[in-house]
């Protein structure tokens, strides 16, 4: 994992009552990783010899997987503004542009899976679940794991945000103030995924051809990974035998479309608030009005017998307005006791993936 960051903040005060600023931030995060995964479905087939903590199953299945993935996240934020002070009046304006990207230039998921041939005995009476195949060595026999599938995937996620805000505050002689402001935010977000999947191979291809020993010291030597997939070997095998792999056209298209979307959102908000003292109680009260207009686009996937019969793009829009009042109160009983009370109204938007007009219909 590698992180890089750059910050450059500039500020200019031509007079004591004027402050101009420009804040700049850039961040980059890169994650290149391998994930070995070994799982065993032991509770298959017929259960016999059952005890309160164990028994024997006539079937079981093992799966060995390798995920080879790289993700790069970048964030750029540029924010400029001005603060002007005129006696009791303060004006504040800000303009911000932000760009966020998440690219997955490489994600390869390899999978080898056995048949339901692993009879086993299990015991859950100790600190860890104990499972042993019958015969014992079958779970870690790489020749019993044929190739099942490989999925190649890339993702490109992007979001651009432009925001403007302006605020005005007036302070009274005897304490307290009133404040009002406006804010406009425009967001564009998109997600584009591309899958190239292979769901089989002509001729035999076993884990034993591309394996290496896995770690055996998990949780105090209680769990052994056994044979795992070796990345250099499987890369070379794929390059030299790509014509043998069976391309999964339907799965590739389906996995490429199910997450894709585009979203455009504009939010215009205004607020007014004030702070004052009433019978020894400090009160802050105000109201915010927020207007949202948005358009979303995604795919309407239609399947027939599991195969994609069509995937037209669908576009939907929405608009709504919220009035959000709030009151906060504080009362100092003495030097050691303060009472606070609040009544507020807020909203929380769902994730973009839950807002887009996406449908998968069989």
């Amino acid at each position: 994992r590698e992180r890089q960051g750059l910050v450059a903040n500039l500020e200019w005060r031509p007079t004591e009552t004027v402050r101009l600023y420009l804040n700049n931030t850039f961040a980059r995060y890169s994650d290149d990783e391998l994930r070995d995964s070994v799982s065993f479905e032991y509770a298959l087939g017929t259960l016999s010899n059952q005890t309160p903590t164990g028994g024997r199953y006539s079937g079981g299945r093992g799966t060995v997987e390798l995920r080879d993935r790289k993700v790069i996240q970048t964030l750029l934020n540029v924010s400029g503004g001005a603060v002007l002070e005129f006696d009791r009046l303060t004006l504040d304006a800000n303009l911000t542009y932000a760009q966020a990207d998440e690219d997955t230039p490489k994600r390869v998921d390899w999978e080898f899976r056995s048949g339901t041939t692993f009879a086993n005995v299990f015991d859950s009476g100790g600190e860890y679940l104990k499972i042993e195949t019958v015969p014992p060595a079958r779970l870690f026999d790489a020749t019993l794991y044929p190739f099942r599938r490989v999925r190649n995937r890339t993702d490109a996620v992007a979001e651009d945000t432009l925001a403007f805000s302006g605020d005005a505050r007036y302070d009274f002689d005897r304490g307290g103030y009133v404040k009002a402001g406006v804010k406009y935010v425009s967001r564009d977000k998109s997600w584009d995924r591309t899958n190239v999947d292979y769901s089989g191979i002509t001729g035999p291809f076993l884990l034993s051809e591309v394996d290496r020993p896995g770690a055996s010291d998990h949780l105090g030597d209680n769990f052994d990974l056994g044979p795992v997939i070796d990345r250099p070997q499987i890369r070379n095998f794929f390059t030299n035998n790509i014509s043998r792999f069976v391309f999964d056209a339907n799965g590739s298209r389906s996995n490429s479309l199910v997450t894709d979307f585009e979203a455009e959102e504009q939010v215009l908000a205004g607020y007014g608030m004030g702070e004052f003292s009433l019978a020894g109680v400090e009160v802050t009260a105000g109201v915010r009005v927020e207007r949202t207009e948005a358009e979303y686009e995604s795919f309407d996937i239609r399947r027939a017998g599991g195969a994609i019969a069509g995937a037209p793009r669908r576009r939907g829009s929405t608009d709504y307005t919220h009035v959000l009042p709030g009151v906060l109160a504080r009362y100092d009983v003495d030097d050691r006791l303060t009472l606070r009370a609040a009544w507020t109204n807020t909203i929380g938007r769902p994730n973009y993936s839950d807002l887009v007009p996406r449908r998968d219909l069989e």
Side-chain angles (χ1 to χ4, degrees), residues 243-265:
S243 61
R244 293 177 53 192
F245 286 85
V246 179
F247 176 63
D248 183 1
N250 187 68
S252 298
R253 188 183 182 196
S254 175
N255 291 328
S256 297
L257 297 179
V258 291
T259 61
D260 289 4
F261 71 84
E262 294 181 3
E264 302 173 6
E265 190 176 76

Side-chain angles (χ1 to χ4, degrees), residues 144-172:
L144 299 178
Y145 288 83
F147 169 76
R148 183 177 183 229
R149 64 185 178 186
V150 59
R151 295 175 174 178
N152 298 271
R153 191 180 101 188
T154 62
D155 286 279
V157 185
E159 181 173 355
D160 292 311
T161 302
L162 182 65
F164 170 79
S165 63
D167 302 272
R169 169 171 170 159
Y170 184 84
D171 292 274
F172 297 106

Side-chain angles (χ1 to χ4, degrees), residues 1-3 29-33 35 69:
R1 290 180 175 179
E2 183 180 74
R3 301 177 187 271
Y29 168 74
S30 176
D31 178 40
D32 195 346
E33 65 181 43
R35 296 186 187 180
R69 187 190 76 160

Side-chain angles (χ1 to χ4, degrees), residues 183-222:
K183 186 173 185 177
Y184 172 77
V185 180
S186 175
R187 295 188 183 93
D188 295 324
K189 183 160 185 172
S190 63
W191 190 329
D192 182 24
R193 173 174 291 176
T194 302
N195 266 67
V196 180
D197 301 341
Y198 299 88
S199 58
I201 191 170
T202 58
F205 178 30
L206 303 175
L207 175 62
S208 56
E209 300 178 52
V210 290
D211 72 316
R212 63 175 176 83
S216 59
D217 57 353
H218 293 287
L219 295 176
D221 298 329
N222 281 280

Side-chain angles (χ1 to χ4, degrees), residues 61-272:
R61 178 167 55 206
T63 303
V64 178
E65 297 176 86
L66 173 69
R67 176 171 296 174
D68 184 1
R69 187 190 76 160
K70 184 173 184 178
V71 177
I72 301 172
Q73 298 173 343
T74 57
L75 174 64
L76 172 66
N77 189 288
V78 180
S79 179
V83 179
L84 310 177
E85 299 178 0
F86 304 97
D87 193 17
R88 300 188 186 91
L89 179 64
T90 302
L91 302 178
D92 187 346
N94 176 271
L95 180 65
T96 297
Y97 171 74
Q99 182 183 52
D101 298 298
E102 179 175 287
D103 294 322
T104 305
K106 174 191 66 175
R107 174 170 163 172
V108 187
D109 293 296
W110 291 93
E111 182 178 336
F112 291 78
R113 191 169 75 176
S114 74
T116 57
T117 57
F118 293 157
N120 64 90
V121 294
F122 72 96
D123 181 11
S124 60
E127 184 178 3
Y128 300 105
L129 175 66
K130 298 292 185 180
I131 303 171
E132 186 174 342
T133 57
V134 183
R138 291 177 65 80
L139 180 61
F140 296 141
D141 186 349
T143 64
L144 299 178
Y145 288 83
F147 169 76
R148 183 177 183 229
R149 64 185 178 186
V150 59
R151 295 175 174 178
N152 298 271
R153 191 180 101 188
T154 62
D155 286 279
V157 185
E159 181 173 355
D160 292 311
T161 302
L162 182 65
F164 170 79
S165 63
D167 302 272
R169 169 171 170 159
Y170 184 84
D171 292 274
F172 297 106
D173 281 338
R174 298 181 179 180
Y177 66 86
V178 291
K179 188 176 181 181
V182 296
K183 186 173 185 177
Y184 172 77
V185 180
S186 175
R187 295 188 183 93
D188 295 324
K189 183 160 185 172
S190 63
W191 190 329
D192 182 24
R193 173 174 291 176
T194 302
N195 266 67
V196 180
D197 301 341
Y198 299 88
S199 58
I201 191 170
T202 58
F205 178 30
L206 303 175
L207 175 62
S208 56
E209 300 178 52
V210 290
D211 72 316
R212 63 175 176 83
S216 59
D217 57 353
H218 293 287
L219 295 176
D221 298 329
N222 281 280
F223 292 97
D224 188 347
L225 281 181
V228 296
I229 303 169
D230 183 74
R231 177 168 65 172
Q233 289 190 68
I234 198 114
R235 281 180 170 178
N236 291 335
F237 186 94
F238 183 76
T239 301
N240 297 328
N241 298 272
I242 190 171
S243 61
R244 293 177 53 192
F245 286 85
V246 179
F247 176 63
D248 183 1
N250 187 68
S252 298
R253 188 183 182 196
S254 175
N255 291 328
S256 297
L257 297 179
V258 291
T259 61
D260 289 4
F261 71 84
E262 294 181 3
E264 302 173 6
E265 190 176 76
Q266 291 84 39
V267 181
L268 178 62
Y271 76 93

Side-chain angles (χ1 to χ4, degrees), residues 274-319:
E275 182 178 290
F276 56 91
S277 180
L278 181 64
V281 179
E282 297 293 331
V283 179
T284 303
V287 62
R288 173 185 176 90
V289 180
E290 189 169 282
R291 172 70 175 178
T292 301
E293 296 181 357
E295 292 187 350
Y296 308 102
E297 187 171 335
S298 188
F299 289 98
D300 188 358
I301 301 175
R302 301 176 183 180
R303 302 178 189 270
I308 295 182
R313 296 182 71 94
R314 297 301 188 202
R315 192 169 184 87
S317 62
T318 184
D319 58 81

